[in-house]
Amino acid sequence: MLDISASGFAMWGTDNMSVPVLLSVPHAGRDYPAAVIDALRVPPASLVRLEDRYADLLVRRSVQSGHPVIVAHRARAWIDLNRDEQDIDVEMVQGAQRADYPAPGVKQRGGLGLVPRRLSGEGDLWKRQFTLDDINDRIAALHRPYHQAVSTVLENMRQKFGVAILLDVHSMPPLHNPATGAGPQFVIGDRFGKSASSQYAELLMSRLQGHGFKAALNHPYAGDYILRRHAKPRANIHAIQLEVDRSLYLDADLRQPGAGVEPLKLLIAGLVEALADEALGSSALIAAE
């Protein structure tokens, strides 16, 4: 394991890569710096809603199998790795000027920008503004190193295998459709075909459905900044998001690991192997043409 403690993430299996698939888990961090706790105006327990709660447990079988894995330990409340570093809510940052940043997107307007500002039912999370220097320090300490690490691994992977796939693992609250009842238990996101060749999403859909799960493609989660930043399908670097229903592996309160963790570890490791087989077969065919 390469433990980048100062940067808030750890990596496994990236030096001598066994498969052309990198698993990333950006939102399961449970390390809350004192600066976060001291600035809160809500109870610390409220921040659990920002976490992809214990999603890091789901990739542990893959770590044991030697698959390339990168996991963020620092909490999303400190900085969101699935947002552009320019996605700053200037109203919560002292010294930030609106003209220096792009117009806020849907996620930022909903309170979920680079540093989350508010949660539904909780209101504003912070009792004071942060300084621009503080936000820039967070970017330099975690956001940039994490994404640089992902970029480097994917490029090294592409050079070694001729193809690279990023499988970005997240968790979601149970989905319920008033018209049809239970919603999908997994959502595959490839930004409507923009971040990966369609064969990979189709493979994941088929595998999940074959295991008896309900799976959906791009609805309601198509993928965000991580896929936009790292996907280069024309260069044979593909990026896919995998959203997992938390009720499949957490307890009834969706707070602690449940009995479903072990089977999902095996499932995800199997998905990595299936993607690798598909990618290597396709790469060989392209090379032969």
Side-chain angles (χ1 to χ4, degrees):
M1 179 187 77
L2 177 59
D3 188 358
I4 319 292
S5 299
S7 296
F9 65 92
M11 299 167 63
W12 298 263
T14 57
D15 291 332
N16 185 22
M17 292 179 284
S18 58
V19 292
V21 181
L22 171 64
L23 284 167
S24 66
V25 187
H27 281 168
R30 297 180 291 280
D31 173 16
Y32 288 89
V36 167
I37 302 303
D38 291 345
L40 277 175
R41 62 165 294 276
V42 298
S46 299
L47 297 181
V48 169
R49 289 176 51 198
L50 287 169
E51 297 177 12
D52 285 347
R53 189 70 168 167
Y54 288 109
D56 53 309
L57 300 184
L58 304 182
V59 302
R60 288 194 175 176
R61 180 57 179 261
S62 296
V63 170
Q64 294 167 354
S65 298
H67 300 157
V69 176
I70 180 169
V71 175
H73 296 317
R74 193 63 52 81
R76 180 185 180 186
W78 194 65
I79 196 165
D80 191 335
L81 295 168
N82 203 21
R83 298 290 181 268
D84 191 299
E85 64 181 61
Q86 291 290 300
D87 195 7
I88 290 176
D89 186 336
V90 297
E91 294 183 10
M92 64 181 287
V93 180
Q94 183 181 351
Q97 301 297 317
R98 176 73 274 164
D100 294 335
Y101 299 94
V106 173
K107 294 292 180 66
Q108 187 190 125
R109 293 197 299 272
L112 297 176
L114 182 67
V115 175
R117 178 180 182 179
R118 61 181 177 272
L119 283 169
S120 61
E122 300 282 355
D124 287 346
L125 299 175
W126 315 110
K127 59 188 177 185
R128 61 175 181 268
Q129 288 182 306
F130 298 110
T131 68
L132 186 56
D133 284 346
D134 178 26
I135 302 303
N136 286 335
D137 286 346
R138 299 185 196 190
I139 292 170
L142 176 57
H143 195 280
R144 286 179 186 163
Y146 187 91
H147 285 287
Q148 183 58 57
V150 170
S151 293
T152 298
V153 171
L154 291 174
E155 180 55 30
N156 291 343
M157 188 176 282
R158 186 193 65 81
Q159 291 183 16
K160 179 175 182 177
F161 297 104
V163 60
I165 300 173
L166 174 65
L167 185 59
D168 197 43
V169 179
H170 296 256
S171 72
M172 62 186 183
L175 301 177
H176 180 79
N177 187 318
T180 62
Q185 297 161 298
F186 292 86
V187 178
I188 309 302
D190 65 359
R191 296 189 58 77
F192 301 95
K194 294 179 181 178
S195 68
S197 293
S198 61
Q199 70 201 71
Y200 299 120
E202 291 169 1
L203 172 65
L204 292 176
M205 291 285 291
S206 176
R207 288 277 174 159
L208 292 168
Q209 291 167 350
H211 282 281
F213 293 108
K214 293 183 178 180
L217 180 60
N218 290 314
H219 294 286
Y221 306 109
D224 208 300
Y225 174 71
I226 290 175
L227 268 57
R228 286 190 284 111
R229 170 159 180 167
H230 296 289
K232 302 174 184 176
R234 292 183 180 179
N236 231 5
I237 298 177
H238 307 270
I240 304 167
Q241 181 173 280
L242 177 66
E243 291 273 3
V244 184
D245 183 337
R246 291 172 196 148
S247 67
L248 293 177
Y249 68 93
L250 296 180
D251 62 13
D253 294 327
L254 304 181
R255 291 295 178 119
Q256 298 300 322
V261 169
E262 292 303 320
L264 282 191
K265 287 181 185 178
L266 293 173
L267 175 66
I268 288 178
L271 294 179
V272 170
E273 297 286 355
L275 284 171
D277 289 345
E278 178 71 19
L280 292 174
S282 298
S283 180
L285 286 174
I286 291 170
E289 291 179 351

